[in-house]
Amino acid sequence: MRVNGVEVEADCWEGESLLFALREKLGFPGAKNACEQGECGSCSVLLDGILVCACLVLAAQADGHDVVTVEGLAEGDRLHRVQEAFLTAGAVQCGFCTPGLVVATADLLERRPDPTDDEIREALSGNLCRCTGYAKIFDAVRMAARDGSG
Amino acid sequence: MDILTPLSLDEALALKAERPDAQPIQGGTDVMVGMNFDRLRPPALLNLNEVPELRGWSRENGTVRLGAGLTYTEAMAPDLAAVLPALAEAARTVGSPQIRNRGTIGGNLGTASPAGDSLPPLLVEDAEVECASVRGVRRISLGEFVTGVKRNALADDELITAVVVRPSGAPQTFMKVGPRNAMVIAVVSLAVSAGDELRASFGSASPRPVVVRAPRSEASSFPDRVAEAASPIDDVRGTAAYRRHALRVMAKRALERCLA
Ligand SMILES: Cc1cc2nc3c(=O)[nH]c(=O)nc-3n(C[C@H](O)[C@H](O)[C@H](O)COP(=O)(O)OP(=O)(O)OC[C@H]3O[C@@H](n4cnc5c(N)ncnc54)[C@H](O)[C@@H]3O)c2cc1C
Ligand code: FES
Ligand code: FES
């Protein structure tokens, strides 16, 4: 598979998830492991450009496909505008949910550069945050959308 | 454990015949939860992601053929939503964007949970399930396909290849009761279509699929008939009495919505 544009090979136990392979075998700890049952979204990555929970993809299913993790969003030292916006808006407390939210937000803005509040709510409905109470996260998404249009 | 990844339907069927113990995996949104929690350890997994014949949907002389690998996100897209609106509404209530991007109709039928959200909207459209093996292809009604709670009529060497529907074009809708708007397993759900015949089918309220039918002239008694046809149970998500009550209220609203 390709992760963030680089061809990688992992020696996996057959039944393991893409999340486990990324974190434990391939050195991409960005996607977080919390629930392992698709409920929290902290493991969100893009698989062939589609937002998925890496904990629910069999590692072997990603064979021959493109995976983008949060590590792949920044360009060199320059953070992705969604990452910048999360920092500026103070949408990060413990930060555990942040990588998943950043990937989900980047995916939303790719499809909908100027989302309505309902669209933001729906797009992030699979990402749980236990710290911030979501208001700042909303601010960050709106800020990133503005940065993208300006 | 072996991972088998066929690249065509023929190859998939040959592998399933050779390895009837291989568990199919499509989106993995049910299978991987089982794997991650050590509840599921099949001797082999049959990865269907690379089988092109299972993807997407097509029209075939008056019918619509939904590939087993059709995702909820695809079912929500405007072109298909125009043909099967209640299915699109149901798809929109499933899990989260991440789940809808991976979870499939075929996987929902494979799991055959009474809470499966694709079932009621497909049942009111009299959907048929296409099952294939090296022995041949057969179609059975969705109502017969689901034989019990998390049980289906697939033989060991068979795969679900598609769901085939002749769209009624009737006004139709889907409703689901749950504790919040996202990420909920239905406490109870209902699909209603209101053509010349009124039809209703519910989720989480009976062990096997039920379709309630009545002539349009009997619309006023229809909500009661829907509630009576259910055989709900008490569980952590709700009581039987609540489910029956909710079905009556939902059926009334659904009819109002469809007949408006
Ligand atoms: C967080 C979360 C939220 C969810 N929310 C909902 C919800 O709101 N509503 C709902 O209905 N479901 C929900 N689900 C359950 C699940 O997403 C659905 O049942 C989905 O349709 C399963 O599809 P899949 O392709 O991921 O199936 P998989 O996990 O790949 O497979 C499911 C079952 O079907 C079998 N199977 C798959 N494809 C085939 C085939 N072609 N032939 C034969 N057997 C096959 C598999 O062997 C397995 O037994 C949720 C799951 C999660 C993790
Ligand atoms: S770890 Fe994958 S959704 Fe929670
Ligand atoms: S910042 Fe802690 S979970 Fe979101």
Side-chain angles (χ1 to χ4, degrees), chain B residues 219-232:
Chain B
S220 60
S221 62
F222 195 63
D224 284 332
R225 291 197 45 201
V226 171
E228 279 156 27
S231 47

Side-chain angles (χ1 to χ4, degrees), chain A residues 35-126:
Chain A
C35 71
E36 292 197 279
Q37 51 182 318
E39 301 273 353
C40 76
S42 65
C43 64
S44 299
V45 299
L46 301 174
L47 177 63
D48 293 335
I50 292 174
L51 184 72
V52 304
C53 295
C55 69
L56 298 182
V57 176
L58 185 70
Q61 290 183 309
D63 203 13
H65 294 272
D66 263 303
V67 179
V68 174
T69 69
V70 69
E71 289 98 335
L73 293 180
E75 281 177 38
D77 286 341
R78 242 186 78 229
L79 288 182
H80 188 276
R81 66 187 152 95
V82 175
Q83 291 170 312
E84 285 289 358
F86 268 69
L87 286 175
T88 314
V92 183
Q93 282 187 30
C94 82
F96 195 89
C97 67
T98 312
L101 275 164
V102 166
V103 176
T105 304
D107 173 61
L108 167 68
L109 297 182
E110 193 66 37
R111 289 176 293 114
R112 296 250 169 222
D114 188 18
T116 64
D117 281 359
D118 278 347
E119 284 168 342
I120 298 175
R121 205 167 288 120
E122 183 157 353
L124 301 186
S125 61

Side-chain angles (χ1 to χ4, degrees), chain A residues 13-17 35-41 44 47 50-53 55-58 60-61 63 65 104 122-128, chain B residues 1-3 5 25-29 32-33 35-37 39 41 45 47-50 76 92 95-102 180 182-183:
Chain A
W13 171 67
E14 299 83 0
E16 85 197 18
S17 68
C35 71
E36 292 197 279
Q37 51 182 318
E39 301 273 353
C40 76
S44 299
L47 177 63
I50 292 174
L51 184 72
V52 304
C53 295
C55 69
L56 298 182
V57 176
L58 185 70
Q61 290 183 309
D63 203 13
H65 294 272
E122 183 157 353
L124 301 186
S125 61
N127 293 79
L128 298 184
Chain B
M1 186 161 63
D2 302 318
I3 310 285
T5 302
I25 176 168
Q26 186 73 250
T29 58
M32 287 305 290
V33 174
M35 297 278 300
N36 290 344
F37 288 85
R39 285 194 295 255
R41 278 285 176 272
L45 285 171
N47 169 24
L48 298 176
N49 280 191
E50 311 296 332
M76 285 160 61
R92 202 169 166 199
S96 61
Q98 288 91 329
I99 301 296
R100 297 195 285 272
N101 284 342
R102 282 296 284 172
R180 69 175 190 131
M183 225 40 133

